[in-house]
Amino acid sequence: MIKIALFIFENMTNYEVTFVSHLLNTQEDIQVVTVAYEERSIKGQTGFIYSPEMILKDIEYDEFDGLIIPGGWNGDYREELQDLILYFKDNNKLIAGICGAGTVYLAKSTALDNVQYTTPIKKWSNRHKIIFGEEDPFNRENFVNVDIVRDCNVITAIGNSFIDFGVEICDFLNLFENNKEKQSFREMFK
């Protein structure tokens, strides 16, 4: 059984991960598990309420095969998330972040330091400093100005590319027979 942790947090842009969650949860051998910092209800940007299945600090890292982080404007970045991201990065497990918080959290963990990536945050502003609490965490030398980037086990995307984000995660998990099947699947949603 493949287990993927989906990190949820207050005011996350939940629609960015709904499609990929659906794709993965329809597979018999894949389980998506929602994880959060605390055991409490979490409200996404769409107003939907989520409950975590696990608390981040209680995760047995080796039981999971990947981590997906949605976007959003939330600067609550903690050591237990950093530890999980870096463990997955170092052990060639999937780490995928989309849009604001998704890519910022990966950058803050240093997981993007040695890979190409994308982010919708092309320039770090005062608003970013206020929300995310520090100077620009991105290694700008590795930034690629495209909608989605997959480099090694790291997938990053801008928010409006959530379909391609989902397809790329499925491809990483070998859910397509070949590249033609992947392209054909992607075309169904264009």
Side-chain angles (χ1 to χ4, degrees):
M1 170 76 64
I2 296 172
K3 286 176 72 173
I4 304 296
L6 173 60
F7 180 65
I8 60 175
F9 53 89
E10 197 65 32
N11 208 29
M12 65 179 172
T13 312
N14 48 309
Y15 70 85
E16 294 171 341
V17 293
T18 302
F19 179 70
V20 69
S21 298
H22 169 73
L23 293 176
L24 298 179
N25 277 317
T26 59
Q27 304 296 310
E28 289 182 16
D29 60 342
I30 298 179
Q31 178 185 12
V32 177
V33 179
T34 54
V35 299
Y37 290 131
E38 291 121 19
E39 190 173 321
R40 65 175 182 82
S41 295
I42 293 172
K43 189 174 187 177
Q45 284 185 1
T46 61
F48 294 143
I49 306 293
Y50 296 86
S51 295
E53 297 170 80
M54 293 187 75
I55 303 307
L56 199 57
K57 66 180 174 133
D58 296 335
I59 287 181
E60 296 290 333
Y61 292 0
D62 60 344
E63 291 181 9
F64 283 83
D65 302 287
L67 171 67
I68 299 171
I69 306 173
W73 288 87
N74 184 314
D76 187 7
Y77 177 76
R78 302 182 193 178
E79 187 175 339
E80 57 259 39
L81 180 58
Q82 177 171 309
D83 293 344
L84 182 64
I85 291 169
L86 291 178
Y87 175 84
F88 282 9
K89 173 79 166 69
D90 293 343
N91 287 279
N92 295 314
K93 296 183 180 206
L94 169 72
I95 52 173
I98 189 168
C99 205
T103 60
V104 170
Y105 292 170
L106 293 182
K108 282 185 160 198
S109 75
T110 70
L112 301 181
D113 283 0
N114 298 312
V115 296
Q116 290 189 328
Y117 69 89
T118 194
T119 180
I121 305 170
K122 294 180 178 38
K123 184 176 182 198
W124 200 253
S125 69
N126 283 333
R127 182 173 181 220
H128 295 105
K129 288 178 187 177
I130 292 167
I131 293 167
F132 295 109
E134 64 181 60
E135 296 300 317
D136 188 352
F138 292 97
N139 175 3
R140 295 295 176 170
E141 292 177 12
N142 297 344
F143 171 74
V144 182
N145 192 15
V146 295
D147 292 348
I148 186 160
V149 174
R150 176 175 164 187
D151 191 348
C152 300
N153 59 323
V154 180
I155 299 170
T156 53
I158 62 172
N160 64 1
S161 293
F162 60 91
I163 299 285
D164 289 331
F165 183 67
V167 170
E168 204 60 44
I169 289 170
C170 289
D171 187 49
F172 180 89
L173 297 172
N174 298 311
L175 299 183
F176 300 112
E177 292 290 325
N178 52 47
N179 198 43
K180 183 178 178 183
E181 182 182 15
K182 175 184 172 182
Q183 294 303 337
S184 176
F185 185 79
R186 178 178 276 135
E187 290 300 317
M188 288 192 312
F189 299 100
K190 298 276 179 172

